[in-house]
Amino acid sequence: MTASDTLGVQKLSIREAYDCMFHFLNSYWERGGKSDDQIAILLGGMPLLADRASADPAMMSDWLDSVRAVTGKGSAPL
């Protein structure tokens, strides 16, 4: 991995990575003129609330399943 791959960021927490994914998808949706209803539905459940839980609790569970699938690691601390 090169410096341009990491932007100088050594590690992100799982929640920081989730926030990055949300920002990426939201930016993509906005650039597309907010025309995709499926992305709008997805984004609606993603924001993290004051207690840092996702607006749709299943969304965080799905995210953690994805983290496990990609990293091959079990439960990771939030």
Side-chain angles (χ1 to χ4, degrees):
M1 194 175 290
T2 68
S4 62
D5 293 335
T6 64
L7 299 175
V9 176
Q10 295 302 311
K11 292 184 180 182
L12 294 174
S13 72
I14 290 172
R15 287 195 187 270
E16 287 171 326
Y18 181 91
D19 284 339
C20 290
M21 176 189 55
F22 175 74
H23 183 270
F24 173 83
L25 290 172
N26 192 58
S27 296
Y28 177 86
W29 181 63
E30 287 179 353
R31 283 192 309 274
K34 299 181 179 181
S35 61
D36 190 325
D37 291 341
Q38 291 301 315
I39 292 177
I41 292 166
L42 176 68
L43 290 169
M46 288 185 68
L48 294 178
L49 306 174
D51 64 359
R52 302 298 289 160
S54 57
D56 175 354
M59 195 70 67
M60 183 58 73
S61 177
D62 291 346
W63 172 250
L64 293 175
D65 288 344
S66 295
V67 169
R68 285 184 202 89
V70 170
T71 64
K73 296 180 180 179
S75 178
L78 297 175

